[in-house]
Amino acid sequence: MEGSGGQMAERKILVLFGSQTGTAEDMADRIGREARRRHFACRVEALDSYSVVNLIRETLVIFVCATTGQGDPPDNMRNFWRFIFRRNLPQNSLCRMDYAVLGLGDSSYPKFNFIAKKLHKRLLQLGANPILSPALGDDQHDLGPDAAVDPWLKNLWNKVLSLYPLPPGISIISEDIRLPPKFILRFLDQEVVTEDGIVEKVDAHEIPTELHPFQASLVSNQQVTAADHFQDVRLIEFDISGSGIQFSPGDVVMIQPQNSLQDVEKFCTLLQLDPKRLFLVEPQNSDTPLPPQLPQPCTVRYLVERYLDICCVPRRSFFQLLSYFSMDEQEREKLQEFSSSAGQDELYTYCNRPRRTTLEVLVDFPHTTCNIPVDYLLDLIPRIRPRAFSIASSLQAHPDRLQILMAVVQYRTRLQEPRRGLCSTWLASLNPSGGVRIPLWVKKGSLKFPSDPDTLMIMVGPGTGVAPFHAAIEERAALKKTGSCLFFGCRGKNKDFYFHGEWTDLEKRGILTLFTAFSRDQEDKIYVQHRIRENAAYVWDLINTKQAYFYLAGNAKSMPTQVTDALKEVFQKEGTMSSEEAEQYLIMLEKSGRYQAETWS
């Protein structure tokens, strides 16, 4: 694979990323740092922030792309994705461009690294020149994506330097030397007493987005599991009146969480920061965009509470950068080991397996933490990512309201403190009378319900997977439409049977047909897939004769496979098909949109 770059070519690299959880962005930043060490002028940008029409003038581009959900592009590359697949783009429009694609995915999903593979193929069609085959990082590997990425990056730089050699007399900047920070935090003389002035006021006519979320108030926060149940699940309702937000069943609400007061104070104490101080963010290079989520000027409290993800499990790049600030030999050696390729097993044992947080790591390295220059905070700690929740309500039934069904994430590892989900812990702690505002916005989900309300639907939603189906059934009930069939599964009828009273009422009214599987209420565990098999003739009649749509939502461990296996058995038994024919029938349903699944891990 020969690149088109020449000896005299300009030494600049563009790194473009599509990232949902921040891993691809972190990887793109790593490539950016490695490029600067090799004296390239380098820009790192999200694909949708980049003006894609300029791509025809770029000479060397590295694309770093995650694949989300069911083989979808991340939110911050969707516009780029639509553009690059336009039919009218000339075949040779990217013939000046050398490129490489680094994909990040999870091999437990069927469309593993689908976006990276498809992008590579499309760039080839447009005449671009690949300098090496795509890297396919896998979350399922013991060492995570680094297992594939480390050797690939080594090859990448060998190839890039052969095409764009270092100028005479210049050598690669050693890993021992710390690169300057991306931003300078310039502190102002005044302090802020209250944060109220900091929260951006949004134009009432704008539809809320990630950069301009709606500040919703909390109407109710109700525990819907028994007090003695192992898991705390909440039905939370927000008031969205005046927001202009519209949504349909299957859509998703994005919520921007924040760190607890206790963690904010602990962090500020560790780093000797005054939460009330005001600062301006200034980029080191004029072509580095400012973080759009940070107001200007900003307080230290706002930065730590609402922007820096101090409770995330830190990545390898965190340890690498942290090692530069260490004056303590022992701490520095440990940090360097954690950031080396050879130390990845050790890092996994220390950090990833027990889910140790950034804040806890900073506590473990006190002599280093007290030396962190404030200018490096934005390089060191990623921003807090918004969390996605299936909307559990219908605007037809509850105008100006939006509900979610949320499991409060808490589990134990070998660490003394239990691990807690940032967003669910924060939301569960909020009191509706406390006057707190929750930043949120809505986006399209992957489940598409039929536009004709008379179309029959079979929905399989164990646990909190029932949320989008509650929205769909509620909408049909508001329109007085029948034809909804729900398979719901949980542990116990008296423990976690969400919406029990509502389902009973809808059954009486003939709007819903309900099948329940309470896995722990008897000796043998019964799950939704058992109920599907037991009702094979009914399910087959709905799908084959009555053209029903089939939906599945819930946790991605083994449930989706077990449900689809049960469904294929129904096709074989009732439709007298071979296993191959049943497989093909399911593929046909999927292609026509009559079989849809939304699963999460």
Side-chain angles (χ1 to χ4, degrees):
M1 292 182 180
E2 280 309 309
S4 64
Q7 293 289 319
M8 302 306 292
E10 189 185 356
R11 301 187 79 258
K12 66 173 193 159
I13 293 182
L14 174 64
V15 184
L16 295 173
F17 64 85
S19 184
Q20 196 70 21
T21 61
T23 310
E25 185 172 351
D26 181 69
M27 205 62 85
D29 282 332
R30 174 180 168 185
I31 294 169
R33 287 191 297 275
E34 293 186 10
R36 287 180 199 107
R37 290 193 183 279
R38 288 157 180 82
H39 302 277
F40 281 91
C42 181
R43 266 173 49 229
V44 178
E45 264 190 83
L47 276 151
D48 278 357
S49 306
Y50 174 73
S51 182
V52 68
V53 290
N54 294 332
L55 212 51
I56 54 169
R57 288 189 283 278
E58 302 292 352
T59 48
L60 178 56
V61 186
I62 314 296
F63 295 89
V64 186
C65 311
T67 294
T68 69
Q70 323 297 314
D72 301 314
D75 291 346
N76 64 0
M77 68 175 280
R78 288 188 178 220
N79 296 336
F80 167 83
W81 197 244
R82 275 195 293 273
F83 180 88
I84 204 81
F85 282 98
R86 276 189 187 171
R87 292 237 171 90
N88 60 356
L89 295 180
Q91 288 294 299
N92 62 346
S93 49
L94 297 181
C95 60
R96 285 186 55 189
M97 188 176 91
D98 290 337
Y99 78 93
V101 174
L102 192 171
L104 296 170
D106 183 324
S107 58
S108 69
Y109 285 85
K111 292 192 171 175
F112 172 58
N113 264 312
F114 179 74
I115 297 299
K117 292 171 187 170
K118 197 168 173 183
L119 176 62
H120 172 62
K121 208 167 152 187
R122 181 60 176 153
L123 293 170
L124 272 176
Q125 286 174 351
L126 295 172
N129 313 288
I131 55 177
L132 73 171
S133 305
L136 303 176
D138 184 7
D139 260 356
Q140 289 297 316
H141 194 284
D142 281 350
L143 301 179
D146 284 351
V149 171
D150 283 1
W152 185 84
L153 278 179
K154 204 173 169 184
N155 287 340
L156 175 78
W157 293 122
N158 288 339
K159 194 77 196 185
V160 166
L161 286 177
S162 70
L163 294 168
Y164 304 87
L166 286 162
I170 300 280
S171 56
I172 296 172
I173 299 169
S174 155
E175 288 285 346
D176 301 335
I177 294 169
R178 179 171 95 195
L179 293 171
K182 269 200 245 171
F183 304 102
I184 302 291
L185 305 193
R186 190 162 63 78
F187 282 89
L188 307 174
D189 290 336
Q190 73 260 46
E191 286 190 345
V192 160
V193 184
T194 165
E195 296 292 315
D196 293 346
I198 294 283
V199 178
E200 186 185 2
K201 297 290 179 277
V202 179
D203 177 2
H205 305 297
E206 255 187 56
I207 295 296
T209 60
E210 181 165 8
L211 292 181
H212 304 286
F214 178 69
Q215 305 290 334
S217 57
L218 192 63
V219 178
S220 61
N221 179 356
Q222 177 194 352
Q223 184 168 344
V224 288
T225 40
D228 62 349
H229 190 55
F230 82 103
Q231 188 161 43
D232 177 356
V233 174
R234 304 295 177 100
L235 181 65
I236 297 180
E237 184 169 83
F238 304 100
D239 182 347
I240 56 165
S241 45
S243 66
I245 288 175
Q246 292 293 319
F247 58 85
S248 309
D251 287 350
V252 164
V253 62
M254 306 298 292
I255 294 178
Q256 185 65 45
Q258 58 189 55
N259 291 309
S260 71
L261 191 60
Q262 184 187 350
D263 286 344
V264 171
E265 285 172 358
K266 192 172 186 178
F267 182 87
C268 290
T269 305
L270 278 171
L271 275 84
Q272 297 145 31
L273 296 169
D274 177 355
K276 296 196 287 290
R277 289 293 302 278
L278 265 177
F279 62 87
L280 288 168
V281 182
E282 295 174 351
Q284 285 272 30
N285 294 328
S286 55
D287 60 358
T288 304
L290 287 169
Q293 290 84 0
L294 279 182
Q296 289 270 55
C298 183
T299 63
V300 169
R301 181 185 301 286
Y302 189 98
L303 174 73
V304 181
E305 182 180 75
R306 306 192 193 191
Y307 188 84
L308 297 179
D309 200 352
I310 58 176
C311 290
C312 71
V313 176
R315 298 186 170 95
R316 178 176 162 186
S317 57
F318 170 86
F319 293 92
Q320 190 173 15
L321 184 50
L322 198 58
S323 68
Y324 290 114
F325 311 134
S326 193
M327 298 295 161
D328 179 279
E329 196 178 341
Q330 212 179 346
E331 286 189 7
R332 186 170 61 247
E333 279 175 10
K334 197 70 197 162
L335 291 165
Q336 284 169 343
E337 182 191 350
F338 284 155
S339 56
S340 69
S341 294
Q344 290 313 287
D345 278 337
E346 195 81 11
L347 177 59
Y348 186 80
T349 306
Y350 167 71
C351 211
N352 300 66
R353 186 174 289 128
R355 312 302 295 161
R356 199 182 296 270
T357 69
T358 296
L359 190 53
E360 288 169 328
V361 172
L362 293 174
V363 171
D364 282 354
F365 290 86
H367 305 296
T368 307
T369 298
C370 64
N371 278 324
I372 297 172
V374 70
D375 289 344
Y376 278 94
L377 283 178
L378 294 171
D379 291 84
L380 191 63
I381 302 172
R383 70 180 172 89
I384 299 173
R385 298 274 158 177
R387 301 327 197 238
F389 295 92
S390 290
I391 298 173
S393 58
S394 157
L395 283 172
Q396 298 276 356
H398 305 280
D400 293 333
R401 295 285 187 268
L402 187 156
Q403 296 175 352
I404 60 170
L405 186 66
M406 177 193 81
V408 182
V409 177
Q410 185 175 331
Y411 57 95
R412 297 208 79 94
T413 64
R414 63 182 172 81
L415 301 177
Q416 194 181 347
E417 278 294 307
R419 308 292 89 191
R420 292 184 168 89
L422 177 67
C423 191
S424 61
T425 305
W426 173 59
L427 286 175
S429 74
L430 299 179
N431 185 334
S433 59
V436 175
R437 297 281 173 158
I438 294 95
L440 55 78
W441 62 99
V442 163
K443 64 174 206 176
K444 284 275 154 233
S446 62
L447 293 178
K448 305 278 182 282
F449 289 97
S451 49
D452 177 0
D454 290 316
T455 308
L456 302 185
M457 299 191 299
I458 301 169
M459 294 159 277
V460 182
T464 54
V466 80
F469 305 140
H470 181 255
I473 293 164
E474 201 175 57
E475 179 136 312
R476 290 203 158 185
L479 299 169
K480 299 188 170 51
K481 294 289 182 183
T482 59
S484 298
C485 165
L486 175 67
F487 286 85
F488 174 73
C490 65
R491 290 207 170 196
K493 186 173 183 178
N494 300 318
K495 298 288 184 190
D496 52 346
F497 189 3
Y498 314 131
F499 308 116
H500 179 192
E502 215 174 314
W503 299 143
T504 308
D505 176 55
L506 292 174
E507 272 193 296
K508 281 180 192 154
R509 288 165 54 194
I511 281 170
L512 176 69
T513 307
L514 178 69
F515 298 96
T516 53
F518 304 117
S519 63
R520 304 297 199 277
D521 280 0
Q522 61 287 309
E523 188 99 359
D524 296 325
K525 290 177 184 168
I526 295 175
Y527 297 113
V528 282
Q529 59 268 25
H530 298 126
R531 296 295 186 224
I532 290 171
R533 286 191 189 94
E534 286 167 17
N535 295 279
Y538 177 72
V539 169
W540 175 248
D541 180 55
L542 285 184
I543 291 174
N544 186 55
T545 314
K546 302 198 166 88
Q547 302 294 297
Y549 279 54
F550 187 97
Y551 295 91
L552 167 64
N555 196 304
K557 282 188 188 122
S558 52
M559 183 275 296
T561 314
Q562 288 163 348
V563 168
T564 48
D565 285 350
L567 194 56
K568 285 185 279 193
E569 283 175 40
V570 168
F571 299 161
Q572 285 175 259
K573 182 183 164 198
E574 300 296 325
T576 58
M577 295 180 182
S578 67
S579 69
E580 179 57 34
E581 286 168 336
E583 185 71 50
Q584 286 308 312
Y585 190 74
L586 185 66
I587 289 168
M588 179 276 291
L589 289 176
E590 198 168 355
K591 281 187 173 159
S592 61
R594 284 181 53 210
Y595 170 88
Q596 295 177 41
E598 183 172 84
T599 56
W600 53 87
S601 50

